């Protein structure tokens, strides 16, 4: 069918309507006229494949990666970077509008280089023939790759070395391998993920580590995790070399262990911390979903006490090292808020920062946070839909949206990060 793309939507596709049904077409841009072929049909919408571009957008460019469209990682390489930022801002505004979040001030865009920004990649292991790669678009099959233009060059180098030197040590037991680097030092940390019940994990990891030390002299350590499919956090099964990487960001050094969460765009980490923490002072601050303490460490410069909350075991362990002499709660944010609001006369924080996963804060936790009545709250979000839902609830409880920042941590992809600053009216 012939379509004229109306707008971009969250998820990477363009949208048009045909015979009363919404049609989603990947790799298109607003204003383009295209031919599309229906792939899947639902009651109210259909998903289509782009067959031909009849009238291209002026913002269309040639994708720079040979795996684009086959790989499921990137979604906007066919658009200029300026157009990518414009699309993300329009998607964010529309999401907020649908949730009845009005009176949106101008959105500040924070961006940097759209290439070589990732300090972490996670590769799937194809065992026969041995190869490393990402998942194919809309698939669970592996696409072997030799390059990734959005990854830090040191990670691409490491990927090549592993493919060349480490097939015998990985092909029989590894499902995935994660590579993490601090580009400022070049240090590399590796994590191997295997199925729960894999035998002789310690021996297999030690064999792998001996080869890694020769193939990748900048590697400081590696770990093996076992993971029951779809069940909870991975279990640390073995380690070799150093137990962690030291990552320098925002004037601080952080312990980052295998399996811990740390922001992925090494160009924008310092600016993100500044956007969240600059000019914040007071007696007590809460850092919810604290990770390894990226925001908490900066806040500790200007607050007498920081309360940090993190449920993931690996991140919580690093958090205790990165934020000594401060209260650390290794529990979910929901449970922390339940406990905090149940205590009579609990001290009210001057400032709360939260950085939840894509599921957002959720109804109960949002209501509990609103009941705390902290005068200032900053919500860092990686999903505009759940952000809009939670902001709507907070605004109804008496908060006002003071400022919105769109920080583009994931160029070339549909993912967008938002920093929403709120204050009590």
């Amino acid at each position: 069918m012939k379509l004229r793309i109306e707008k971009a939507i969250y998820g990477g596709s363009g949208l048009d309507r045909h015979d009363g049904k919404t049609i989603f077409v990947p790799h298109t841009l607003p204003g383009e006229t295209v031919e599309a072929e229906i792939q899947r049909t639902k009651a109210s919408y259909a998903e289509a494949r782009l067959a031909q571009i009849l009238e291209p957008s002026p913002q269309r460019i040639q994708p720079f990666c040979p795996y684009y469209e086959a790989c499921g990682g990137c979604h906007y390489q066919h658009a200029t970077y300026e157009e990518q930022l414009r699309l993300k801002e329009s998607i964010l505004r529309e999401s907020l509008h649908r949730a009845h979040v009005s009176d949106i001030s101008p959105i500040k865009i924070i961006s940097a280089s759209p290439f070589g920004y990732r300090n972490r990649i996670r590769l799937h292991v194809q065992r026969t023939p041995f190869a490393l790669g990402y998942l194919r678009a809309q698939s669970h099959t592996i696409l072997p790759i030799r390059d990734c233009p959005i990854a830090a060059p040191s990670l691409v180098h490491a990927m090549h070395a592993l493919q060349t030197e480490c097939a015998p040590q990985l092909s029989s037991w590894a499902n995935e391998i994660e590579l993490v680097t601090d580009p400022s030092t070049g240090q590399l940390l590796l994590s191997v993920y295997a199925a729960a019940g894999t035998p002789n994990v310690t021996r297999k990891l030690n064999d792998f580590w001996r080869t890694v030390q020769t193939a990748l002299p900048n590697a400081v350590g590696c770990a093996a995790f076992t993971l029951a499919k779809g069940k909870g956090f991975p279990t640390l099964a073995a380690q070799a070399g150093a137990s962690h990487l030291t990552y320098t960001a925002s004037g601080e050094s952080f312990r980052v262990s295998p399996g811990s969460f740390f922001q992925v765009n090494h160009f924008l980490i310092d600016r993100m911390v500044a956007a969240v923490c600059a000019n914040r002072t007071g007696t007590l601050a809460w850092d919810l979903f604290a990770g390894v303490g990226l925001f908490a460490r900066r806040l500790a410069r200007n607050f007498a006490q920081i309360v940090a909350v993190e449920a993931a075991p690996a991140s919580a362990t690093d958090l205790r090292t990165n934020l000594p002499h401060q209260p650390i709660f290794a529990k979910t944010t929901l449970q922390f808020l339940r406990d905090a609001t149940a205590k009579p006369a609990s001290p009210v924080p001057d400032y709360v920062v939260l950085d939840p996963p894509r599921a957002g804060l959720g109804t109960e936790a949002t209501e509990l946070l609103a009941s705390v009545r902290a005068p200032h709250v900053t919500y860092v979000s990686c999903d505009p839909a759940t952000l809009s839902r939670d902001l709507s609830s907070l605004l109804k409880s008496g908060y006002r949206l003071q400022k919105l920042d769109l920080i583009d941590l994931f160029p070339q992809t549909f993912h967008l990060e938002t920093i929403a600053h709120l204050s009590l009216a």
Side-chain angles (χ1 to χ4, degrees), residues 350-364:
D350 304 292
Y351 183 50
V352 176
V353 57
L354 57 147
D355 185 4
R358 284 188 174 80
L361 193 54
T363 301
E364 182 183 356

Side-chain angles (χ1 to χ4, degrees), residues 120 122 127 173-180 189-198 201-202 205 208 221-228 232-240 242-244 256-261 312-315 318:
R120 177 191 304 261
R122 188 156 170 166
R127 296 186 178 179
W173 66 289
N175 292 332
E176 296 175 80
I177 182 164
E178 186 173 68
L179 311 175
V180 182
L189 192 66
L190 302 92
S191 300
V192 182
Y193 291 83
T198 299
V201 171
T202 299
L205 184 72
F208 172 60
C222 67
F225 292 88
T226 56
L227 180 63
F233 295 111
T235 300
L236 180 63
Q239 281 189 300
S243 62
H244 65 275
V256 181
S257 297
S260 290
F261 172 78
S315 294
D318 287 343

Side-chain angles (χ1 to χ4, degrees), residues 81 85 88 108-119 183 247-250 262-276 294-295 298 406-411 415 417 419:
Y81 189 47
L85 295 175
K88 291 183 180 185
K108 180 180 178 181
I109 307 294
I110 303 172
S111 62
S113 172
F115 307 107
Y117 63 84
R118 290 194 65 98
N119 58 26
Y247 199 110
T248 303
S250 193
F262 200 78
Q263 294 293 345
V264 74
N265 189 317
H266 68 92
F267 294 133
L268 288 176
I269 291 175
D270 289 8
R271 293 175 66 184
M272 185 179 196
V273 172
V276 170
L294 180 64
F295 300 134
R298 177 66 175 270
L406 194 163
I407 181 164
D408 193 29
L409 296 185
F410 309 99
H415 300 291
E417 198 90 1
I419 305 173

Side-chain angles (χ1 to χ4, degrees), residues 14-160:
L15 175 152
D16 194 18
R17 293 175 174 85
H18 183 80
D19 290 341
K21 181 171 286 191
T22 300
I23 313 293
F24 301 124
V25 189
H27 311 121
T28 58
L29 295 174
E32 291 188 324
T33 301
V34 304
E35 284 186 354
E37 178 183 343
I38 298 297
Q39 302 285 290
R40 283 173 290 275
T41 300
K42 304 292 184 180
S44 61
Y45 70 92
E47 298 173 354
R49 179 186 68 84
L50 175 63
Q52 185 179 1
I53 302 167
L54 302 176
E55 296 178 18
S57 164
Q59 302 303 319
R60 177 172 286 276
I61 60 173
Q62 182 66 30
F64 50 83
C65 178
Y67 307 107
Y68 186 58
E69 295 191 21
C71 176
C74 289
H75 316 91
Y76 284 153
Q77 285 188 21
H78 58 284
T80 65
Y81 189 47
E82 293 76 12
E83 177 71 354
Q84 292 183 35
L85 295 175
R86 191 194 68 78
L87 295 179
K88 291 183 180 185
E89 181 181 3
S90 68
I91 289 167
L92 175 59
R93 285 187 178 277
E94 182 173 347
S95 179
L96 293 167
H97 179 75
R98 283 199 303 269
H100 306 290
V101 177
S102 57
D103 193 24
I104 303 169
S105 60
I107 297 174
K108 180 180 178 181
I109 307 294
I110 303 172
S111 62
S113 172
F115 307 107
Y117 63 84
R118 290 194 65 98
N119 58 26
R120 177 191 304 261
I121 58 173
R122 188 156 170 166
L123 300 161
H124 294 261
V125 177
Q126 177 179 282
R127 296 186 178 179
T128 307
F130 177 78
L132 300 176
Y134 297 136
L135 292 182
R136 293 181 181 274
Q138 300 181 333
S139 169
H140 294 289
T141 61
I142 297 171
L143 174 69
I145 63 167
R146 295 290 297 172
D147 195 12
C148 180
I150 65 173
S154 59
L155 295 181
V156 176
H157 170 76
M159 176 176 64
H160 291 166

Side-chain angles (χ1 to χ4, degrees), residues 237-312:
Q239 281 189 300
S243 62
H244 65 275
L245 176 79
T246 300
Y247 199 110
T248 303
S250 193
E252 306 280 357
S253 295
F254 295 88
R255 172 192 167 112
V256 181
S257 297
S260 290
F261 172 78
F262 200 78
Q263 294 293 345
V264 74
N265 189 317
H266 68 92
F267 294 133
L268 288 176
I269 291 175
D270 289 8
R271 293 175 66 184
M272 185 179 196
V273 172
V276 170
C277 302
N279 303 316
R280 300 293 185 179
T281 61
T283 301
L284 173 63
W286 288 358
D287 186 0
L288 310 180
F289 308 94
V292 303
L294 180 64
F295 300 134
R297 278 284 290 273
R298 177 66 175 270
L299 292 171
R301 300 178 189 176
N302 297 320
F303 286 83
Q305 186 179 66
I306 307 296
V307 171
V309 181
E310 176 54 52

